[in-house]
Amino acid sequence: EMYRGAFRQFGGMNVTWIKPGDADSLRESVAAEAATTYALAADAEKRLQLVERRWSRVVAMFVEPVQGEGGIHVMGADFLAAARALASENQFPLVLDEVQSGMGRCGSFIASHRLGLRGDYYGFAKSLGGGISKVGALLIERERYQPDFGVIHTSTFAEDDYSCLLALKALEILERDELAARCDESGSYLLGRLRELQGRYPTVIKEVRGMGLMVGVELAEQSQSPSGLIRLASSQQALSHLATGYLLNEEGVRVGLTLSLLNTIRLEPSAYVRRADLDRVVGAFERLCQVIERANAGRLVRYMAGVRSGGSAEPVADWRGRLDANLAAFEEPSGEPQVAFLSHLMETSSLVLWDASLAEIPAERRDAFLRGIHRVVKPAVTRQFRIRSAAGAAVHMRVVSWIATSSLIEEALRAGDTEWLDEQIDEMVEEMRREGCRTVGFGGYLSIVSQNCKRAAVPGVALTTGNAFTVAIGLEALRHGARERGIDLAASRLGCVGAAGNICSTYLRLMAEDVPRLLLIGRAQSRLRLVKAAAALYQDAWERISRQRPEELTGLARAVFETRSVRRLIEGDARPSSPGEWLFDSLHEEFGGHHFVQLSEEMSALSDCEIVVTASNSATPIIFPEHLSPRPTVICDISVPADVSPSVAEQRPDVLVLRGGIVRLPDNDELVLKEVMLPPGHVFACLAETALLGMEGYPHNFSFGEITKAEVEWIREVARRRGFGLGYVTAQKTF
């Protein structure tokens, strides 16, 4: 399609494409161009008559006897006979393109001769220059040739002595060494050996085609391969690219692709190729077939990570029985609402969770592999499954994955180099809309890149970051952890890392209803946003004080109620336009610092917090044992990948680290998302929110831009009604 599209830009040009070798379609296409004109003419008696003349609008027909870039298709006898007959009947010339198939490559000087086809024009190039010079030549039937053509039409680079001398020498060698016969003999042997290979590996090789030493090997599609990478490459017509790279780097065999049929590998060796070399090529193809059949993507692409080949004697490991069959299972929609979720790899180690065979790439080389492919490999649907509610309602979920880690996307964000990602996001949202998805959710760093979906708005589809339900389920996890550790929220201090962000600022406002003191941690450049978040907390506290009786107050509102600053507001001594901002400044002056809501850039400030929520945008851990309180502590880590270092669990058994935002589905125990290290029947809250919105038929964007307390409360109620609850919360990776 990418090659055909270029022809559509010419206004008024009628272009028809037909399947190679389809004689009936060829006849229909030529017949469609038949035209009739009428003219006045005088007969012998000088009477005017209307004379009918039938003619064809076709000015010429171009045919490759053996298609090159089209996939090495040898045109059949019926098709070629039809082409010759149509050209003769309609009086337009038949132009034969022998640029690739000529010069003996197909077993005779021109392939058309071997196929019994005579043309009016013949085009030659490439091998005519003997591999040294670029030269082309046109052979024309004598009765069609215009003698003045060569005089009137000139070219700076035409008919130069150097190229013509080399072309003449190439023709001399062609005849002297009987190269056409060599190509015929070697080609017959190679085609025979490759067809034997096809018989042994029918799930890998779809077809072997060709004539002489112009050979094509078409790879079969691999939609059912247990290997995630092989499936993905096949779906994007990139498997042949990986295969040719494997053959070159692992086997020392250089081959090419056909440009218009990308799943076909082209073999066009020299006419002087030895039988032993052909055997070596067939052996290399057999090992390639083993690699693909055995779902060994690691062996297929390890050269891209700089892993050196072990040679042809190195056995090919079989990964078919060791890969997760669930990853290849695609449930098709059956009438239920459709939704989609955009995701990416959490970290480099996630690569082998998605495709275990990539463990053949050493761990220290996998990052280099991902860096090499993450912008080239397009995102694609990697999972399709059904999610059901407790009452039996269902949605069909498509998971679209980017083969890029959080750290790679973070690097692009910091460098301001996200145009490639923006384009891919827009394309995938539009594709999911065309597939019938009513809601599209954004996971991980994709919500950050899209500025909480605002840069990816597409008419006709609702978007969500899933942040509202992430907050709702995280709050439940946090309260669960506090009860388990015996921590009284009313007497504790909450530390929030990434407090300037959308998720954490909402956590703070909701937790401030229970917790009297809060710590907001953020980067220096986010200071103004931290101040704004602190002012919002005081504004909420003042509004609660204004509408509730003193004995009903809890959390931050109760803590500040007895202060002199709040008394001034209650008694009317101060009437600021923004009570929250005024309280932020007044309480700082009253207590000589930020006593109730503290701002900091240092992780060490967490040492006075019994409750911690962390939702930074860091791709690597930022919270370590030395940062934490010596008292029992609960941490709710919402970040993916995690903000909390594994060393916390190792060195601080009194610290409970919870994976925030994990949801247990009500009736989906068969669903296993091992690629994101979740136990059966569990998903991330952002994906769960996407499913819930689909079940509800919610037609608008949700968790779009800044989330609100109202959104958190609404989605929490929807989840309760649908049976979506708090999931497995421990942070230890035991599944």
Side-chain angles (χ1 to χ4, degrees):
E1 183 59 32
M2 62 185 292
Y3 296 101
R4 292 177 176 182
F7 290 91
R8 297 193 179 99
Q9 64 183 314
F10 300 108
M13 178 181 284
N14 184 20
V15 182
T16 302
W17 290 277
I18 62 174
K19 186 178 179 180
D22 188 343
D24 290 337
S25 294
L26 179 63
R27 294 187 186 95
E28 291 172 5
S29 297
V30 173
E33 298 302 324
T36 302
T37 57
Y38 297 90
L40 290 174
D43 61 13
E45 298 177 1
K46 298 184 178 181
R47 290 178 299 182
L48 290 177
Q49 291 183 332
L50 196 62
V51 179
E52 180 183 88
R53 176 173 173 260
R54 296 181 181 276
W55 56 286
S56 176
R57 286 190 291 263
V58 177
V59 295
M61 182 188 297
F62 288 75
V63 174
E64 282 183 289
V66 180
Q67 278 192 321
E69 306 302 344
I72 316 296
H73 290 278
V74 180
M75 296 296 102
D78 289 346
F79 180 83
L80 296 177
R84 179 67 270 174
L86 289 167
S88 299
E89 291 167 9
N90 293 278
Q91 298 182 334
F92 56 74
L94 182 61
V95 184
L96 301 184
D97 181 350
E98 294 275 8
V99 170
Q100 290 191 41
S101 58
M103 291 293 290
R105 175 161 293 283
C106 289
S108 60
F109 177 64
I110 50 177
S112 51
H113 175 74
R114 192 171 181 184
L115 294 168
L117 176 65
R118 183 177 180 85
D120 302 305
Y121 295 77
Y122 295 82
F124 298 91
K126 295 186 177 178
S127 56
L128 181 62
I132 299 174
S133 174
K134 296 177 181 179
V135 60
L138 182 65
L139 187 65
I140 307 173
E141 281 280 0
R142 186 176 300 277
E143 59 268 24
R144 288 185 176 274
Y145 182 68
Q146 301 296 317
D148 292 339
F149 178 84
V151 176
I152 298 173
H153 295 275
T154 62
S155 170
T156 303
F157 297 103
E159 300 175 350
D160 65 290
D161 294 345
Y162 172 76
S163 297
C164 290
L165 179 62
L166 287 171
L168 289 170
K169 192 65 176 178
L171 290 168
E172 177 188 326
I173 294 171
L174 174 70
E175 186 174 356
R176 182 195 71 196
D177 292 355
E178 299 180 336
L179 298 190
R182 287 173 179 261
C183 288
D184 184 30
E185 181 181 355
S186 295
S188 296
Y189 178 77
L190 179 59
L191 283 164
R193 290 292 312 276
L194 289 172
R195 283 171 178 147
E196 289 175 5
L197 202 62
Q198 179 192 3
R200 293 198 296 275
Y201 299 95
T203 62
V204 178
I205 299 179
K206 180 179 179 180
E207 189 177 8
V208 176
R209 301 183 292 269
M211 177 183 287
L213 282 178
M214 189 171 178
V215 177
V217 177
E218 183 176 350
L219 299 179
E221 62 92 19
Q222 298 294 321
S223 62
Q224 299 304 310
S225 173
S227 162
L229 181 60
I230 290 175
R231 282 198 313 275
L232 180 61
S234 179
S235 71
Q236 298 185 5
Q237 291 193 312
L239 182 58
S240 54
H241 289 80
L242 299 182
T244 55
Y246 166 88
L247 289 169
L248 176 62
N249 291 277
E250 292 276 354
E251 303 286 350
V253 174
R254 184 183 294 276
V255 292
L257 302 176
T258 59
L259 296 180
S260 297
L261 196 64
L262 294 176
N263 55 352
T264 298
I265 298 174
R266 174 166 49 191
L267 292 85
E268 296 184 11
S270 164
Y272 297 96
V273 66
R274 298 174 302 174
R275 184 67 57 89
D277 292 328
L278 294 177
D279 289 336
R280 179 185 168 195
V281 168
V282 173
F285 264 86
E286 176 147 29
R287 286 184 288 279
L288 171 65
C289 289
Q290 291 173 356
V291 166
I292 296 174
E293 183 182 65
R294 297 175 184 180
N296 194 334
R299 179 73 169 271
L300 182 65
V301 300
R302 66 182 183 180
Y303 67 88
M304 298 174 68
V307 180
R308 300 188 64 177
S309 170
S312 59
E314 183 182 0
V316 177
D318 193 340
W319 283 88
R320 284 173 291 186
R322 292 182 277 174
L323 293 169
D324 187 354
N326 287 313
L327 295 176
F330 275 46
E331 292 186 59
E332 295 299 327
S334 57
E336 61 275 287
Q338 298 182 55
V339 298
F341 185 73
L342 312 185
S343 64
H344 58 81
L345 297 177
M346 289 188 289
E347 50 197 24
T348 303
S349 61
S350 304
L351 194 63
V352 295
L353 298 175
W354 171 59
D355 189 331
S357 74
L358 293 171
E360 296 221 353
I361 300 175
E364 67 274 12
R365 298 290 185 93
R366 291 173 199 158
D367 186 64
F369 168 69
L370 283 170
R371 286 182 180 278
I373 71 165
H374 75 282
R375 297 195 184 201
V376 179
V377 177
K378 296 179 181 179
V381 176
T382 55
R383 296 291 297 271
Q384 287 187 188
F385 49 83
R386 200 164 280 103
I387 293 180
R388 295 178 295 276
S389 73
V395 292
H396 180 269
M397 173 69 71
R398 285 180 169 89
V399 176
V400 178
S401 300
W402 270 255
I403 310 304
T405 60
S406 302
S407 60
L408 289 172
I409 298 176
E410 182 187 35
E411 285 181 16
L413 274 167
R414 295 193 185 284
D417 179 24
T418 61
E419 184 176 353
W420 61 278
L421 198 51
D422 294 334
E423 291 177 358
Q424 290 180 349
I425 289 173
D426 289 344
E427 288 171 3
M428 289 312 303
V429 171
E430 175 59 27
E431 182 177 332
M432 292 301 99
R433 185 195 65 79
R434 291 196 303 268
E435 290 290 335
C437 295
R438 61 170 60 168
T439 305
V440 176
F442 284 54
Y445 274 71
L446 299 178
S447 63
I448 302 170
V449 171
S450 64
Q451 294 181 353
N452 293 322
C453 296
K454 291 189 293 184
R455 288 172 55 183
V458 173
V461 62
L463 306 181
T464 181
T465 61
N467 286 346
F469 196 37
T470 298
V471 170
I473 208 72
L475 287 170
E476 191 173 341
L478 201 56
R479 292 187 172 105
H480 167 86
R483 288 194 300 271
E484 183 176 317
R485 282 294 189 267
I487 297 173
D488 181 7
L489 293 178
S492 64
R493 189 183 192 212
L494 169 69
C496 200
V497 180
N502 190 14
I503 291 179
C504 260
S505 60
T506 307
Y507 260 103
L508 285 165
R509 296 182 69 180
L510 291 165
M511 286 299 293
E513 296 177 4
D514 299 316
V515 178
R517 295 187 304 136
L518 304 104
L519 167 68
L520 283 59
I521 296 181
R523 296 189 180 97
Q525 57 266 37
S526 63
R527 175 76 182 183
L528 291 178
R529 287 190 292 154
L530 290 179
V531 170
K532 181 180 177 182
L537 292 173
Y538 284 126
Q539 180 70 33
D540 289 347
W542 169 243
E543 290 176 2
R544 292 184 63 205
I545 290 169
S546 300
R547 67 174 183 268
Q548 292 180 331
R549 294 193 299 271
E551 62 271 19
E552 295 175 338
L553 296 176
T554 58
L556 180 62
R558 182 179 180 85
V560 301
F561 178 71
E562 298 292 346
T563 64
R564 186 172 64 252
S565 298
V566 169
R567 281 291 154 201
R568 291 185 62 194
L569 287 175
I570 293 173
E571 294 169 2
D573 293 341
R575 299 179 182 274
S577 59
S578 175
E581 293 178 5
W582 184 86
L583 279 172
F584 178 80
D585 293 329
S586 181
L587 288 169
H588 181 275
E589 181 179 346
E590 180 178 344
F591 289 91
H594 295 297
H595 182 68
F596 300 100
V597 180
Q598 181 184 353
L599 311 184
S600 179
E601 300 168 19
E602 303 297 330
M603 291 296 171
S604 57
L606 292 172
S607 62
D608 192 32
C609 297
E610 298 87 357
I611 304 291
V612 176
V613 174
T614 180
S616 81
N617 295 336
S618 174
T620 56
I622 57 175
I623 298 177
F624 295 89
E626 60 268 23
H627 297 143
L628 301 175
S629 166
R631 301 182 297 278
T633 304
V634 174
I635 305 175
C636 184
D637 190 349
I638 306 161
S639 296
V640 179
D643 279 343
V644 180
S645 167
S647 61
V648 171
E650 296 167 1
Q651 299 178 28
R652 291 291 305 275
D654 60 328
V655 174
L656 177 62
V657 181
L658 309 174
R659 294 187 74 182
I662 306 297
V663 176
R664 180 174 180 82
L665 302 174
D667 185 27
N668 297 264
D669 287 345
E670 76 287 352
L671 176 61
V672 182
L673 301 182
K674 284 187 177 179
E675 65 270 34
V676 289
M677 300 192 72
L678 293 179
H682 286 67
V683 296
F684 285 116
C686 43
L687 186 148
E689 180 175 301
T690 306
L692 287 168
L693 294 173
M695 288 180 184
E696 292 290 303
Y698 193 84
H700 309 296
N701 296 327
F702 192 83
S703 295
F704 185 89
E706 296 294 322
I707 57 174
T708 65
K709 290 170 62 177
E711 287 175 326
V712 173
E713 291 163 358
W714 184 84
I715 198 69
R716 179 165 52 195
E717 173 56 26
V718 170
R720 184 200 62 76
R721 179 162 41 84
R722 296 286 185 178
F724 287 47
L726 177 63
Y728 189 84
V729 294
T730 182
Q732 294 180 351
K733 299 178 180 180
T734 57
F735 35 84

